[in-house]
Amino acid sequence: PIEICPINFKAFEELNRLTGNIEETLLLSKIKFHQTYTKLVKAGEPYIARSRAEIISWFGFSDRKTDALLSSLNQKGFIKKIVGTFYGTKKLFLNVSNKISHSPINLSLLDVLLKETGSLKAALIFAKIAFKCGNTQVVNSGISYCYLKKEALSTWAEISIRKLDSILDGLCRKGLILKKNLISCGRRQTHFHIPQSALKVLKSLFVKEKLTQKEPLKHESNKTKTPTVNCKICRVEPAKMQ
């Protein structure tokens, strides 16, 4: 299961303690990931150029929430945000503080989980279970299970217990996890297992995702036309920043 966990939780939690908001941490990680591949430089610093609509599409946040998250990250000094034009189109130019050394998320794998689980919160909950299952020593009838307190899981994901139960039921219906009540710490507790069938499907989808990304990226670096909104590499082209 650890192979399909897209988050380096140690680094993610360290970053999350700084931002104080899991959605800000996700957005900051995404910007940092894209900045790693950028060739766009302003005043000696790397920037990415993205439309507001494209940034909104990353995690499905609302327009208002996306603006609020970017403003908060800017105010806290995690990013620099400049409005300008790129290929004649209005863009947001974003730079991540050099205090953030790398993105703690495998964004390609997270994208796969987003599609399969149906929502960002569901993908995060699944990732947490996958990580825990990869480090568990609990075995019942030859099957490994992990135990996560619902209160801790809901607090971490910043959702209610009711919402968490709904997400867990959805993951069960999709066959991505199994739930079983087992004795832990002297009382019956809900434990989780990720079936081999789910592991095989997700690993296969991840491999396909990586293969489909390789050719577009190579092609993108040789383009002279306007880049598509989904490009991951910002080329060095005339840009105006206001």
Side-chain angles (χ1 to χ4, degrees):
I2 201 72
E3 296 176 10
I4 56 170
C5 177
I7 300 174
N8 178 330
F9 278 102
K10 181 180 180 180
F12 186 84
E13 296 301 342
E14 289 176 354
L15 184 55
N16 202 43
R17 279 193 290 272
L18 294 175
T19 66
N21 181 294
I22 195 170
E23 291 173 338
E24 286 186 21
T25 302
L26 287 165
L27 190 55
L28 182 59
S29 299
K30 184 82 169 182
I31 297 170
K32 181 63 179 181
F33 171 78
H34 283 281
Q35 184 176 293
T36 302
Y37 297 96
T38 192
K39 294 181 180 179
L40 182 62
V41 178
K42 174 69 174 178
E45 295 183 317
Y47 278 81
I48 67 169
R50 297 291 186 273
S51 68
R52 180 170 174 265
E54 185 180 5
I55 297 172
I56 289 170
S57 73
W58 285 347
F59 296 117
F61 297 145
S62 67
D63 298 17
R64 190 172 183 177
K65 175 173 281 189
T66 300
D67 291 341
L69 293 174
L70 288 172
S71 294
S72 180
L73 288 171
N74 186 38
Q75 291 171 4
K76 293 174 182 177
F78 291 114
I79 66 170
K80 293 178 183 177
K81 182 180 67 171
I82 305 171
V83 179
T85 57
F86 193 55
Y87 287 110
T89 304
K90 186 177 181 180
K91 299 283 187 179
L92 288 176
F93 291 82
L94 303 171
N95 163 266
V96 178
S97 167
N98 56 20
K99 295 179 181 179
I100 311 301
S101 60
H102 64 283
S103 172
I105 303 175
N106 182 323
L107 275 304
S108 297
L109 183 49
L110 181 60
D111 285 344
V112 170
L113 293 185
L114 275 169
K115 293 174 185 175
E116 295 305 303
T117 62
S119 73
L120 176 60
K121 294 295 185 178
L124 293 176
I125 295 299
F126 181 84
K128 197 75 167 176
I129 293 173
F131 176 77
K132 192 71 173 179
C133 281
N135 295 277
T136 189
Q137 295 182 346
V138 178
V139 178
N140 181 267
S141 301
I143 298 176
S144 61
Y145 287 87
C146 71
Y147 168 57
L148 285 165
K149 289 184 178 180
K150 285 187 179 182
E151 293 79 5
L153 195 53
S154 65
T155 298
W156 175 78
E158 298 177 0
I159 56 176
S160 66
I161 292 290
R162 184 176 181 180
K163 179 63 176 179
L164 174 62
D165 285 335
S166 176
I167 288 174
L168 292 174
D169 288 342
L171 293 176
C172 286
R173 286 195 299 271
K174 292 174 184 291
L176 295 173
I177 66 169
L178 297 177
K179 293 192 299 181
K180 188 172 185 177
N181 288 327
L182 300 173
I183 301 298
S184 177
C185 300
R187 62 192 182 112
R188 195 168 292 277
Q189 309 273 14
T190 302
H191 285 64
F192 305 98
H193 169 73
I194 299 179
Q196 283 297 318
S197 57
L199 291 175
K200 289 180 180 178
V201 169
L202 291 172
K203 287 179 182 178
S204 175
L205 290 172
F206 180 48
V207 170
K208 289 180 181 178
E209 178 78 9
K210 289 196 294 184
L211 290 175
T212 56
Q213 286 182 357
K214 284 183 179 179
E215 186 58 31
L217 284 175
K218 291 178 181 177
H219 180 62
E220 190 69 45
S221 64
N222 294 322
K223 272 186 163 185
T224 56
K225 297 180 180 180
T226 301
T228 62
V229 295
N230 291 320
C231 72
K232 291 186 178 179
I233 298 179
C234 291
R235 301 187 59 224
V236 181
E237 298 288 348
K240 296 180 180 179
M241 299 193 233
Q242 301 169 352

